[in-house]
Amino acid sequence: MSSLAKQLTQPLNKTTKRDLMPELKRRRKMVLQNRLVILTIITALIVWAWHGTGFSLSFIYTGAANMTAFIFTELLPPDFSAAGRYIQPALQTLYMSFVGMIFAVVFSLVLGFMAAKNTSFHPVLAFSSRAFIAFLRAIPAIIWGMTLVVAFGIGSLAGTLALGLSGIGVLGKAFADVLEEIDSAQVEAVKATGASWFQTMGQGVWPQFKTGFVAWSLYKMDLNIREAAVLGLIGAGGIGYTLQGNINLFQYKQASVGIIMIFVLILSVEFTTAKIREKLL
């Protein structure tokens, strides 16, 4: 505690109060100046970014009017006669998302334990694992998809691998961060009994890590559904591929059925993962 704070917590006589007032005013002025500097920097960043993007409220108004006209004249009402053609791609999206999640969870679990400073075998290994995870995370799923479509051809295999690789970047970092935040006292207590590394992980680390592991893994499944729909647009399989076909042929009312099915898929997965989370945690 600072000397000023100690003095302020003690009963003050009139002389002491008079002596402390200049210091108090000086500190209040300093805090105000700091806030003004931060506010000025934030304002400057907003103006800079606003100018750099050419953002204009008038564009929003005209764009919203065009979008409304497009929705009510081209997209609506949905042509549900196309629903049958979306069922198989929707299931394929679900399969891709699930397999991509399993792929990501398995490899992220290993890399996450190696990347966390308190569970890794060596600091160099921890740094290398962190760097590898960061590299995978730096490449968006759609870029992975474009690369893998070239390597493996059009289809769900490229999409599944793209979801898995991008998922390692997300889950690997999340798992490592969760592991580094666990209570080290419990881990040390298990180590004190002479437990091996695997016993320490199982008895001291896993009980604390389980909640974050389940929550992040299920969140990736939810995220995969959305990414899989986008990956389909570049030929990586799933519902996005069928959606792209309708858009290219200007069949927007049929495309709106695909959008509705993606929405239903996301809602279904979110509901299911929430129930699974309730049962496991």
Side-chain angles (χ1 to χ4, degrees), residues 108 112 130 133 137 167-181 209 212-213 216-217 219:
S108 297
R130 280 273 184 185
I133 290 169
R137 193 172 61 256
I168 294 172
V170 175
L171 292 183
K173 180 182 187 304
F175 289 170
D177 289 345
V178 172
L179 285 167
E180 289 184 349
E181 291 172 0
F209 173 62
F213 170 76
W216 275 103
S217 300
Y219 171 69

Side-chain angles (χ1 to χ4, degrees), residues 114-117 119-129:
M114 293 302 102
K117 293 175 183 174
T119 56
S120 184
F121 292 111
H122 195 276
V124 175
L125 180 60
F127 176 80
S128 303
S129 299

Side-chain angles (χ1 to χ4, degrees), residues 247-268:
I247 292 174
N248 288 342
L249 296 173
F250 304 104
Q251 297 169 338
Y252 298 119
K253 293 185 189 303
Q254 295 186 9
S256 63
V257 176
I259 295 170
I260 292 171
M261 293 197 76
I262 292 171
F263 176 64
V264 171
L265 266 181
I266 290 173
L267 274 185
S268 304

Side-chain angles (χ1 to χ4, degrees), residues 230-243:
V230 176
L231 287 169
L233 299 177
I234 58 168
I239 197 169
Y241 190 62
T242 308
L243 186 64

Side-chain angles (χ1 to χ4, degrees), residues 65-137:
N66 293 334
M67 177 62 75
T68 303
F70 174 73
I71 289 172
F72 286 99
T73 58
E74 301 289 344
L75 277 179
L76 298 179
D79 181 5
F80 285 104
S81 64
R85 279 187 283 145
Y86 276 102
I87 291 176
Q88 184 60 32
L91 289 173
Q92 195 178 46
T93 298
L94 204 57
Y95 303 149
M96 288 166 55
S97 302
F98 185 69
V99 176
M101 182 198 71
I102 297 297
F103 181 89
V105 166
V106 170
F107 286 95
S108 297
L109 201 56
V110 177
L111 287 168
F113 268 83
M114 293 302 102
K117 293 175 183 174
N118 52 341
T119 56
S120 184
F121 292 111
H122 195 276
V124 175
L125 180 60
F127 176 80
S128 303
S129 299
R130 280 273 184 185
F132 182 62
I133 290 169
F135 169 73
L136 294 179
R137 193 172 61 256

Side-chain angles (χ1 to χ4, degrees), residues 191-206:
K191 282 182 180 177
T193 64
S196 65
W197 186 85
F198 286 103
Q199 289 171 329
T200 304
M201 295 299 109
Q203 300 298 322
V205 174
W206 176 252

